[in-house]
Amino acid sequence: MKATRRILSVLLAVVLLFSCAASGVSSLTAMAAGGSYFFYLAYSDIQAKKNSVAQNIGNNTIYSQQLIKQNGYQTVYLARNEAEGIQVYFHELGNDNETGRQLRVEVDPFLNANGDTLPFSVYEEIYFTEPTTCQYQLAEALVPYNGQTVETTVGENLMFYVELKSAKNQPAGVYASKVTAYDENGVLAVRPVHAIVWNFALPEAHYSTTVMGLYNSASSYAGTKGFLQSVGVRFDNKGEILEEDIPFAESVLEAWDEVLLQHGIVPTELPRFLIDTDEKEAALKLADPRRSMYFVPILNYDGITSQVTAKIQQYKNLVYQNDILREKAVFYTADEASLPQADNGVYAAYSQRVSAIKTLWPGAHTLVSTDYLNAFSKDVLQKTADMICLNQSLLVGENNEENRTFFTDNKWNSVLRYDGPLRSGSMNLFISPVSTNGPLRRCLYWQQEAMQKKGGILEWNCSFIPTINGKLFDVWENNMLPPGSGTQTNNGDGLLLYPATAIGLDATEPVVSLRMKQLVSGMDDYDYLQLAKECFGKDSDVYQTAMAGFLGSDYTPTTNSIYTIASWDVLPANQTRIALGNALSEAWTEDEQMHQYGDWVTVVAPEATHNGLEIRTCATCGAEESRKIAPATDCTHSFDAYTPVDADSHSAVCTLCSETVTLPHTPGEPARENVVAATCTAAGSYDEVIRCADCGYTISSTTKTTDKLAHRWNGGTVTAQPTCTAAGVKTYRCNNCTATKTEPVAALGHAWGGWVVTKQPTCTQEGQQTRTCTRDGSHKETQPIAKKPHTDNGSGYCKDCGADLKASQRCKYCGQIHTGPFAWLIKFFHSILAI
């Protein structure tokens, strides 16, 4: 199995290297002691699968979807007042040992030539399984990344998301940075990158409206309390929050509400308790330009009961006399199949509800779902509602020309769409949160522009955590979006924010999904198109080229093609945006000159304990700007931007009272800049820079050195072979420089063969045997062989040499051996004879 995986990895590397060479782009594939890898900077649209180097739609590799180069640098573009992302992609190809490595990614500050900074945040993309038949593990949850090491796995991707955020007054121009990958051996790879900030700003609130539920406390989806339970809010057996947990729940709801607004998504309702506990704060929340509409809660009641009437009256008392707040109010009169469906009951129930709302709230904006096309005629819908929420699937197909004309009719004040189950085989097309590629999410907003209708997108919910088989579904434990199981998450729009407490983060800081970031990109696209119309005109080449580049040449409002054709590939989609941004940046002057702003209008008056809010609106495009009004008491000052004055201070204009205040610098955390990586032959260096956290002024800059790295020796090569009697030499080379070192290799010693007898032993002389070294054949060693024993010939003499073997036993007088009991007597007698 390991051998097979190695072969596949090698083949994959060869294929990608070949494709890189064929495209005329130098390969970013690298080899290291830990194995080979891919390391790219890619567009934020890619929804990468966990174990594939191909993007999850089409046949393109992620290599081909890298940031384009401008003047030799990979470059990302953004307007002022815009967030834009870069995906840092790492794929571990492995080595012969099939092991990964400990990887760490570091992003340098984005700085322009004047030392201005472009703020950014870094996230690790956690893979989740989507709850469809595809069952892809897709890069998804964006967990804040603090530079910790992450263990790689052979054959799998690691993704990091770098989000740049420009301020409205961000100086335009080029901001340089680099992304560095480290492993346990030091610097692994470096990718320089430029961010170009264009000379125009996106509006404070998106021109398009994207509406989603957060906590639908007054909707028909009571189960959406799950996300509160998942962060520790407790409920009683009636499904009500425990009284002692209400303050905690309020803080979570308001924080999550703000996260949605920061991403341009309009929660359908106010945080649950706000209108009951602080009406002034509720009015400020409703007046926020980012909240383009809000639903007056009515749908979880059985008709317009006294309870519903009281809730409507509460909202009416707060907003009805305020033109701006009243115009944002929407009554969602019929939510899909929430009304009785019997043939003789649907119309009566619907008509009764609409009539009661119109009586309680004259001039109310009423929204109806296209589910009721099956129950009512189009004429009835237009007489009872001025806003419609349509299913994308009703616009697709040659036989739906009548529907397309109906939905783009000028009688509608606003047209919202939800994505609908439009698929191509097993692939979701326009189910935006589940679609397998970012451009398909962005396409919804280009389609809206083609429709030329005020409105946007309505998604069901963004924080739905269901209870399945009596247990709250844990997205982190299961590592997936909730499955269908009778819920609605199989349509994909139920979960765009994840509870963070399970991974050690604060309950008020939800984990944002990559899908949400890509939806925001679509909203930004729509803003670019509106600014292009304002700057160049709808008939201009700039506008027409952009629309055709994304949707195709035939994009009239009633054309079927605009609802089925999307820019599927990441690179063309971004090239279209870049061309549009370049044209706007070149033509744009100051925002004050391009927009035709009217006078400031007070929407919410200040009081002793609250700020007020005033808004001005562009007469041409409807863009709004807001600013706070200082409380009636002494101003506590609030600042959005700071201007350096000198080495000790900066100035700022209070957003509440417009007073210019001089303040001391606030030292930020030390940052490393101008980093020169250490090698094993030279020390490294960096500038430790401390800037003001408010204005970016350089308070101090100190150059520091880092120690040389230790040599990274290779496995070594024997450069002098050892012999039997002499040691050899093994030479090691450093992987990072030309240094070498040697160490002895022990002598081998002789390899003796068997003993060979060279002289046979006798009973009077020793023999001899010899053995020879089989390795060199020249070295010999000898040793004696013991003498053989004498052999008695039967008479006591050796038969070979004649030696007397029994001399000690012979009579010295006669030479014989006497035995028996009288042997002594015989010897005595012989001795006498001898005399």
Side-chain angles (χ1 to χ4, degrees), residues 729-741:
V729 178
K730 189 173 185 179
T731 302
Y732 296 85
R733 297 186 181 278
C734 177
N735 286 327
N736 294 334
C737 68
T738 59
T740 61
K741 71 173 183 177

Side-chain angles (χ1 to χ4, degrees), residues 302-304 333-334 338-357 372 376:
D302 184 16
I304 307 300
T333 54
S338 62
L339 291 177
Q341 292 298 301
D343 292 341
N344 58 357
V346 176
Y347 182 71
Y350 173 76
S351 298
Q352 181 183 20
R353 177 171 289 186
V354 172
S355 177
I357 290 170
Y372 290 89
F376 314 144

Side-chain angles (χ1 to χ4, degrees), residues 5 41 63 125 187 232 311 438 451 453 512 583 596 639 706:
R5 290 175 60 190
L41 302 183
Y63 175 88
E125 299 180 17
V187 175
K311 181 59 67 175
M451 291 173 67
K453 289 298 297 181
V512 177
Q596 304 300 313
F639 307 109
T706 56

Side-chain angles (χ1 to χ4, degrees), residues 423-730:
R423 302 171 68 87
S424 174
S426 64
M427 188 178 299
N428 293 296
L429 296 181
F430 300 114
I431 301 180
S432 58
V434 177
S435 297
T436 50
N437 212 24
L440 294 181
R441 283 185 258 288
R442 293 169 57 182
C443 184
L444 291 164
Y445 297 91
W446 292 76
Q447 293 170 343
Q448 180 191 339
E449 173 60 17
M451 291 173 67
Q452 293 292 307
K453 289 298 297 181
K454 175 185 175 183
I457 308 301
L458 174 65
E459 299 286 2
W460 168 62
N461 197 274
C462 68
S463 56
F464 183 74
I465 305 290
T467 296
I468 299 177
N469 297 324
K471 182 181 178 182
L472 191 68
F473 188 85
D474 188 330
V475 295
W476 299 104
E477 179 182 346
N478 291 281
N479 195 225
M480 69 180 296
L481 300 175
S485 301
T487 70
Q488 287 199 322
T489 49
N490 60 337
N491 70 11
D493 61 359
L495 200 62
L496 293 181
L497 293 176
Y498 300 102
T501 51
I503 57 172
L505 300 179
D506 191 271
T508 60
E509 299 176 2
V511 171
V512 177
S513 63
L514 179 61
R515 292 171 295 139
M516 179 178 279
K517 298 293 185 183
Q518 293 168 345
L519 283 175
V520 175
S521 291
M523 297 179 224
D524 291 340
D525 290 339
Y526 191 83
D527 293 341
Y528 279 63
L529 291 169
Q530 304 318 299
L531 294 176
K533 284 195 294 187
E534 186 172 9
C535 188
F536 306 110
K538 183 180 176 183
D539 296 327
S540 65
D541 288 342
V542 171
Y543 177 87
Q544 296 290 336
T545 301
M547 289 293 288
F550 206 102
L551 293 176
S553 59
D554 188 3
Y555 56 86
T556 54
T558 59
T559 301
N560 175 51
S561 63
I562 72 163
Y563 305 106
T564 57
I565 295 177
S567 181
W568 288 57
D569 292 335
V570 170
L571 195 59
N574 284 283
Q575 288 174 329
T576 299
R577 164 87 84 88
I578 292 168
L580 190 56
N582 282 334
L584 283 167
S585 188
E586 184 177 346
W588 206 260
T589 56
E590 294 297 323
D591 292 344
E592 293 285 346
Q593 298 176 30
M594 296 302 296
H595 289 295
Q596 304 300 313
Y597 286 116
D599 295 332
W600 289 101
V601 176
T602 299
V603 183
V604 179
E607 60 181 32
T609 57
H610 290 83
N611 297 323
L613 187 74
E614 57 184 359
I615 292 175
R616 63 176 182 171
T617 306
C618 175
T620 305
C621 67
E624 292 181 334
E625 283 195 332
S626 69
R627 66 184 183 188
K628 297 174 183 177
I629 307 173
T633 57
D634 292 339
C635 183
T636 56
H637 292 316
S638 175
F639 307 109
D640 286 342
Y642 302 83
T643 302
V645 174
D646 53 35
D648 300 315
S649 62
H650 53 244
S651 65
V653 177
C654 177
T655 59
L656 303 179
C657 66
S658 299
E659 179 185 355
T660 300
V661 180
T662 300
L663 304 164
H665 290 302
T666 303
E669 293 294 326
R672 292 188 177 191
E673 299 178 10
N674 303 319
V675 177
V676 177
T679 67
C680 43
T681 57
S685 65
Y686 64 90
D687 294 335
E688 185 175 85
V689 180
I690 299 177
R691 288 190 169 81
C692 175
D694 296 322
C695 70
Y697 182 86
T698 301
I699 298 172
S700 65
S701 179
T702 306
T703 300
K704 296 187 175 183
T705 59
T706 56
D707 294 338
K708 290 192 296 184
L709 301 177
H711 289 296
R712 291 177 59 196
W713 302 112
N714 64 4
T717 303
V718 176
T719 51
Q721 295 294 333
T723 66
C724 299
T725 57
V729 178
K730 189 173 185 179

